[in-house]
Amino acid sequence: MVVLGLGQAIAAISPAGCTENNWNLDVIKSASVVHVGDTIDYTVNATNGGAGACDIAGAEIMFTYPDGTVETLATGAEFPADGSGDASYGPLSYVVTHADVDAAGGNDVRISVNGTGLLQDSEAGSSATINKTISVLVWQPAVNVEKTAAPETAAVGDTVTFTIVITNTGNAPLTTVAIDDSMFGSLAGMGCDFAAEPTPNYFGPGESCTIEMPYTIMDTDPDPLTNTVIVEMQDPLFTEGSTAIAQDTAEVPREEPPAGTPAI
């Protein structure tokens, strides 16, 4: 941890005309959106000053990480009204875990910074307290795909419609990387194409899209006819942890024609 601008000794009473508690703890975070496994760097800037500012004495600053670990950044610090004791604490680094996200409700991780001190106003000892909570959104990309066939059984010459329903089951917007089908190949351009460029068109959390592909059963097809689709999508951070993959398979058993039916 690097500490800059250590507090200086102050008088028991602040400058004449002191009326305001202008002490502030500002938290800077290295990212607004991350994945589980990413590192977030925090910096806490402690400042004092401005019109009517009073000195702050005996200050203690505590930093609480997402997992509940508490680090003391300052104790007995003094922050004169002229800003000469302003200090910066950091970087305070933290690697995001699944447990952190679950504890915060599933979508973010949170830190808190708390400061206490004595406001050296005309009363020479009023309390000064700062409590701040800072959140960082955690994207957890996830996708589900369901493939069905109608009818569920078919004879040679029948047309089967394969329906693919893709759903964004995570909390991140997604873009399409690939939709590959074992029978039809790439399904690009079939209605589930989402991209960040040139115009952002994201697959939002909770949204679904559907692709329908008809197929006529041939006598050379295996029995049952097996059709698998693999979907790969990615959130706009485009980093490790951005990708979501799902697959599903539909099988169509052969329905034998009634005895005596002419072969097709």
Side-chain angles (χ1 to χ4, degrees):
M1 180 179 68
V2 178
V3 181
L4 305 175
L6 296 176
Q8 305 295 317
I10 61 174
I13 301 298
S14 301
C18 147
T19 59
E20 302 296 330
N21 174 14
N22 289 346
W23 185 37
N24 185 50
L25 299 176
D26 186 34
V27 180
I28 307 300
K29 55 190 180 184
S30 61
S32 297
V33 182
V34 296
H35 295 124
V36 171
D38 289 350
T39 298
I40 308 172
D41 293 324
Y42 300 92
T43 301
V44 178
N45 295 317
T47 60
N48 193 19
C54 300
D55 294 345
I56 299 294
E60 182 177 80
I61 303 173
M62 311 296 288
F63 184 92
T64 303
Y65 291 90
D67 65 357
T69 301
V70 179
E71 182 170 348
T72 301
L73 303 184
T75 184
E78 300 177 342
F79 297 94
D82 61 6
S84 60
D86 290 358
S88 180
Y89 307 91
L92 306 162
S93 299
Y94 190 79
V95 178
V96 179
T97 70
H98 282 289
D100 301 325
V101 179
D102 292 341
N107 289 320
D108 58 10
V109 290
R110 302 166 192 169
I111 63 92
S112 63
V113 61
N114 308 98
T116 58
L118 295 177
L119 180 68
Q120 300 294 284
D121 54 12
S122 58
E123 302 297 326
S126 300
S127 62
T129 303
I130 300 174
N131 297 299
K132 290 187 176 182
T133 299
I134 305 298
S135 297
V136 173
L137 178 63
V138 180
W139 274 349
Q140 299 188 85
V143 65
N144 182 66
V145 61
E146 293 184 359
K147 166 164 272 194
T148 58
E152 295 181 353
T153 62
V156 173
D158 289 348
T159 297
V160 176
T161 299
F162 291 97
T163 300
I164 301 167
V165 179
I166 303 170
T167 304
N168 182 345
T169 54
N171 69 338
L174 298 175
T175 61
T176 304
V177 176
I179 304 174
D180 293 320
D181 190 279
S182 61
M183 288 175 53
F184 303 105
S186 173
L187 298 184
M190 299 302 295
C192 289
D193 301 283
F194 303 93
E197 297 177 345
T199 301
N201 173 33
Y202 295 121
F203 191 33
E207 293 183 351
S208 296
C209 66
T210 301
I211 299 173
E212 293 185 344
M213 301 295 293
Y215 180 79
T216 301
I217 303 295
M218 298 185 292
D219 59 3
T220 55
D221 287 331
D223 181 14
L225 178 63
T226 300
N227 184 207
T228 299
V229 64
I230 300 175
V231 176
E232 181 178 353
M233 293 191 165
Q234 192 173 43
D235 70 45
L237 287 182
F238 301 116
T239 60
E240 184 177 354
S242 290
T243 302
I245 298 175
Q247 73 175 54
D248 196 22
T249 298
E251 289 189 348
V252 182
R254 183 72 55 84
E255 182 180 286
E256 297 299 335
T261 302
I264 297 176

